[in-house]
Amino acid sequence: METKRPNLAVEIAGIKLKNPVMPASGTFGYGEEFAPYLDLERIGAIVTKGLSLKPKAGNPTPRIAETSGGMLNAIGLQNVGVDAFIATKIPFLREVDTPTIVNFFGNTLEEYGEVARRLSDLPEVAGVELNISCPNVKQGGIVFGTDPCAAADVVALVRKHLRKPLIVKLTPNVTDITVTARAVEEAGADAISCINTLTGMAVDIRSRRPRLANGTGGLSGPAIRPIAVRLVHQVVRSVKIPVIGVGGIGCAEDALEFLVVGATAVQVGTANFIDPTAMLSVIEGIEGFCIEEGIDDIREIIGSLRF
Ligand SMILES: Cc1cc2nc3c(=O)[nH]c(=O)nc-3n(C[C@H](O)[C@H](O)[C@H](O)COP(=O)(O)O)c2cc1C
C-alpha cells in the first residue's frame, strides 16, 4: 500500500506556500544563483537578498568570520538596488513557479517608502519582507527595529505605499521583543519573521584587531537557534498575525522546533552556505516526520507545544 503523503501547504498573509520552508534573506542571492544546486520549485518561497533604493557595495573585507557553532557577518547589505533588481533579476524569477518574497530596507523613512512604492505593482512579487534592523541616518543612527515607535512609523509608511502582503522582520537586539511585535502588528504588518542576526564580535588575539573590518557583525547559525526558538515562542503568544521562524535551522528537527512553538513557516539561512541543498533535506525530513507520527497535515504540528 502506498503511504499517503502529508499536506505540507501553509499560507502566510495570503501567500500560498507548497511547504513551509524558504531561504533566509541574504543567504540565497536573488534565487538564480542557487538554481544549479536545487529545483527552486521544490521550496515554499524564494526570499531575495535585501534591496535598497540605490545599489550598495557593502562593507570593507574581511566581512565574514566563523565562530563556534555559527558565523559573524558584516556584509553591509550589499545589493544591486531596486531598479536593477526589477530590470535584471525579475525576468528569471517570473519563470519560476514559486512565490518570490522581496526583502528590502532603507536608511531613512523616505527610502523605505520609495522602495515599497517601486515594488508595489509588480505581479512577480508575492509579498515583501521588511528588514528594520537598519540605522536611521537622520536620527543619529538608531536602528529602526530597536525602538518600537520608530518600527511602527516605518511599517505604517510602507503599508501606505504597498499593496502587497507585508512581512516585518524583527531584530533580536532588544529587551522585550513582544513590544516591537505588537507595535508592528498594530502599524499594519500582515506577518512577522523572527529573528534577524544578534550583534556579536570576535577578536584576533595576535593582531589585537577585530576579526571583521567593521568591528562588530551579526551572529547567525546553530549557536543562535535556542534564542530564536524562545523569541518565536514569545512573539507567537503576543500577536495574532502569522510568524516565520528563523535562526540556526539546518535540518528538519530544527525546523520542527519552530513549528511546534507556533511558527507557520521557517527560513533556512547560514545552512545554505554549508549545503546549498539543505532546504530540500529539511522539506523531506518534515514529510518523513509527519508520516512517522501519523500526521496528515503540517498544520497539526504548528503551535502544538505542550507544557
Ligand atoms: C551573509 C548574511 C547576509 C544576510 N543578509 C540579510 C539581508 O540582506 N536582509 C535580512 O533581513 N537579513 C539578512 N541576514 C539575516 C538572515 O536572513 C537570518 O535572519 C539570520 O542569518 C539568522 O538565520 P540563520 O541562523 O539560519 O542564518 C543575513 C545573514 C547572513 C548570514
Side-chain angles (χ1 to χ4, degrees):
M1 203 179 72
E2 208 185 304
T3 325
K4 193 166 164 273
R5 298 186 77 170
N7 174 39
L8 297 189
V10 295
E11 200 174 309
I12 298 271
I15 310 170
K16 289 185 173 28
L17 311 176
K18 51 182 103 72
N19 63 63
V21 182
M22 63 185 92
S25 174
T27 67
F28 204 65
Y30 302 98
E32 192 169 358
E33 296 85 337
F34 277 69
Y37 307 106
L38 82 169
D39 178 357
L40 297 175
E41 299 195 349
R42 297 255 332 259
I43 58 180
I46 293 169
V47 183
T48 69
K49 173 75 195 152
L51 298 174
S52 47
L53 187 56
K54 298 270 174 278
K56 270 191 89 162
N59 287 329
T61 56
R63 48 193 198 173
I64 279 189
E66 272 191 57
T67 59
S68 322
M71 65 181 257
L72 283 169
N73 92 82
I75 304 293
L77 295 168
Q78 177 183 359
N79 77 95
V80 296
V82 66
D83 292 337
F85 170 78
I86 295 169
T88 65
K89 309 293 179 187
I90 285 269
F92 171 84
L93 293 166
R94 183 182 296 144
E95 303 304 321
V96 183
D97 185 21
T98 296
T100 295
I101 296 172
V102 175
N103 180 292
F104 77 94
F105 66 96
N107 285 120
T108 62
L109 268 177
E110 295 72 23
E111 268 179 38
Y112 272 104
E114 187 51 32
V115 182
R117 209 181 56 74
R118 293 188 194 192
L119 293 171
S120 193
D121 292 325
L122 299 172
E124 297 84 356
V125 176
V128 306
E129 183 181 61
L130 191 61
N131 177 3
I132 56 171
S133 305
C134 302
N136 182 346
V137 294
K138 287 202 181 156
Q139 298 268 308
I142 182 166
V143 172
F144 285 98
T146 58
D147 170 3
C149 296
D153 285 349
V154 67
V155 172
L157 180 82
V158 167
R159 177 79 288 169
K160 214 170 78 189
H161 289 282
L162 187 83
R163 288 169 294 273
K164 298 261 181 215
L166 172 58
I167 303 163
V168 178
K169 184 163 178 182
L170 300 184
T171 169
N173 301 314
V174 293
T175 311
D176 184 353
I177 202 164
T178 65
V179 176
T180 337
R182 280 193 292 267
V184 303
E185 180 183 43
E186 231 167 80
D190 299 309
I192 282 173
S193 47
C194 175
I195 56 173
N196 212 315
T197 52
L198 286 132
T199 306
M201 184 172 177
V203 174
D204 180 323
I205 56 168
R206 301 282 169 202
S207 67
R208 320 285 206 272
R209 290 180 191 281
R211 286 173 58 202
L212 296 173
N214 187 57
T216 60
L219 182 65
S220 63
I224 72 168
R225 192 174 59 250
I227 300 171
V229 171
R230 187 262 296 179
L231 290 168
V232 167
H233 171 60
Q234 285 183 297
V235 169
V236 161
R237 290 185 306 169
S238 35
V239 295
K240 292 191 188 66
I241 51 180
V243 177
I244 304 173
V246 202
I249 297 175
C251 64
E253 287 76 10
D254 299 342
L256 283 158
E257 279 193 61
F258 284 90
L259 297 174
V260 169
V261 299
T264 303
V266 293
Q267 295 182 347
V268 176
T270 301
N272 295 318
F273 296 136
I274 299 160
D275 174 6
T277 67
M279 277 185 285
L280 300 185
S281 319
V282 173
I283 296 163
E284 282 159 19
I286 292 176
E287 191 172 62
F289 178 82
C290 289
I291 293 168
E292 246 175 68
E293 295 265 317
I295 289 167
D296 300 328
D297 194 309
I298 186 79
R299 286 169 299 182
E300 292 170 43
I301 295 178
I302 295 168
S304 60
L305 184 72
R306 298 179 190 137
F307 264 111

PDB file of all heavy atoms in Angstrom, residues 203-209:
ATOM      1  N   VAL A 203      37.650  38.609  18.080  1.00  0.00           N
ATOM      2  CA  VAL A 203      38.925  39.327  18.071  1.00  0.00           C
ATOM      3  C   VAL A 203      40.061  38.388  17.692  1.00  0.00           C
ATOM      4  O   VAL A 203      40.120  37.254  18.176  1.00  0.00           O
ATOM      5  CB  VAL A 203      39.186  39.941  19.476  1.00  0.00           C
ATOM      6  CG1 VAL A 203      40.562  40.579  19.552  1.00  0.00           C
ATOM      7  CG2 VAL A 203      38.102  40.962  19.819  1.00  0.00           C
ATOM      8  N   ASP A 204      40.944  38.860  16.829  1.00  0.00           N
ATOM      9  CA  ASP A 204      42.182  38.136  16.523  1.00  0.00           C
ATOM     10  C   ASP A 204      43.200  38.521  17.594  1.00  0.00           C
ATOM     11  O   ASP A 204      43.643  39.677  17.650  1.00  0.00           O
ATOM     12  CB  ASP A 204      42.655  38.542  15.120  1.00  0.00           C
ATOM     13  CG  ASP A 204      43.948  37.829  14.735  1.00  0.00           C
ATOM     14  OD1 ASP A 204      44.823  37.625  15.601  1.00  0.00           O
ATOM     15  OD2 ASP A 204      44.073  37.488  13.557  1.00  0.00           O
ATOM     16  N   ILE A 205      43.558  37.543  18.440  1.00  0.00           N
ATOM     17  CA  ILE A 205      44.376  37.892  19.613  1.00  0.00           C
ATOM     18  C   ILE A 205      45.819  38.220  19.247  1.00  0.00           C
ATOM     19  O   ILE A 205      46.528  38.857  20.007  1.00  0.00           O
ATOM     20  CB  ILE A 205      44.312  36.791  20.699  1.00  0.00           C
ATOM     21  CG1 ILE A 205      44.728  35.439  20.114  1.00  0.00           C
ATOM     22  CG2 ILE A 205      42.914  36.717  21.309  1.00  0.00           C
ATOM     23  CD1 ILE A 205      44.975  34.382  21.176  1.00  0.00           C
ATOM     24  N   ARG A 206      46.288  37.781  18.074  1.00  0.00           N
ATOM     25  CA  ARG A 206      47.672  38.101  17.667  1.00  0.00           C
ATOM     26  C   ARG A 206      47.769  39.554  17.186  1.00  0.00           C
ATOM     27  O   ARG A 206      48.627  40.309  17.610  1.00  0.00           O
ATOM     28  CB  ARG A 206      48.147  37.165  16.550  1.00  0.00           C
ATOM     29  CG  ARG A 206      48.116  35.712  16.926  1.00  0.00           C
ATOM     30  CD  ARG A 206      49.294  35.307  17.798  1.00  0.00           C
ATOM     31  NE  ARG A 206      49.058  33.974  18.341  1.00  0.00           N
ATOM     32  CZ  ARG A 206      49.636  33.494  19.421  1.00  0.00           C
ATOM     33  NH1 ARG A 206      50.499  34.219  20.103  1.00  0.00           N
ATOM     34  NH2 ARG A 206      49.367  32.284  19.837  1.00  0.00           N
ATOM     35  N   SER A 207      46.847  39.916  16.270  1.00  0.00           N
ATOM     36  CA  SER A 207      46.905  41.275  15.737  1.00  0.00           C
ATOM     37  C   SER A 207      46.203  42.270  16.668  1.00  0.00           C
ATOM     38  O   SER A 207      46.346  43.484  16.488  1.00  0.00           O
ATOM     39  CB  SER A 207      46.234  41.331  14.358  1.00  0.00           C
ATOM     40  OG  SER A 207      44.856  41.088  14.500  1.00  0.00           O
ATOM     41  N   ARG A 208      45.432  41.713  17.648  1.00  0.00           N
ATOM     42  CA  ARG A 208      44.628  42.537  18.583  1.00  0.00           C
ATOM     43  C   ARG A 208      43.539  43.319  17.844  1.00  0.00           C
ATOM     44  O   ARG A 208      43.045  44.317  18.338  1.00  0.00           O
ATOM     45  CB  ARG A 208      45.480  43.554  19.370  1.00  0.00           C
ATOM     46  CG  ARG A 208      46.823  43.079  19.849  1.00  0.00           C
ATOM     47  CD  ARG A 208      46.741  42.127  21.066  1.00  0.00           C
ATOM     48  NE  ARG A 208      47.953  42.156  21.857  1.00  0.00           N
ATOM     49  CZ  ARG A 208      49.020  41.378  21.623  1.00  0.00           C
ATOM     50  NH1 ARG A 208      49.010  40.498  20.624  1.00  0.00           N
ATOM     51  NH2 ARG A 208      50.089  41.490  22.403  1.00  0.00           N
ATOM     52  N   ARG A 209      43.208  42.843  16.655  1.00  0.00           N
ATOM     53  CA  ARG A 209      42.175  43.549  15.884  1.00  0.00           C
ATOM     54  C   ARG A 209      40.879  42.730  15.860  1.00  0.00           C
ATOM     55  O   ARG A 209      40.931  41.505  15.934  1.00  0.00           O
ATOM     56  CB  ARG A 209      42.622  43.724  14.423  1.00  0.00           C
ATOM     57  CG  ARG A 209      43.746  44.692  14.237  1.00  0.00           C
ATOM     58  CD  ARG A 209      44.087  44.780  12.745  1.00  0.00           C
ATOM     59  NE  ARG A 209      45.328  45.511  12.551  1.00  0.00           N
ATOM     60  CZ  ARG A 209      45.423  46.825  12.587  1.00  0.00           C
ATOM     61  NH1 ARG A 209      44.354  47.557  12.775  1.00  0.00           N
ATOM     62  NH2 ARG A 209      46.589  47.403  12.419  1.00  0.00           N
TER      63      ARG A 209
END
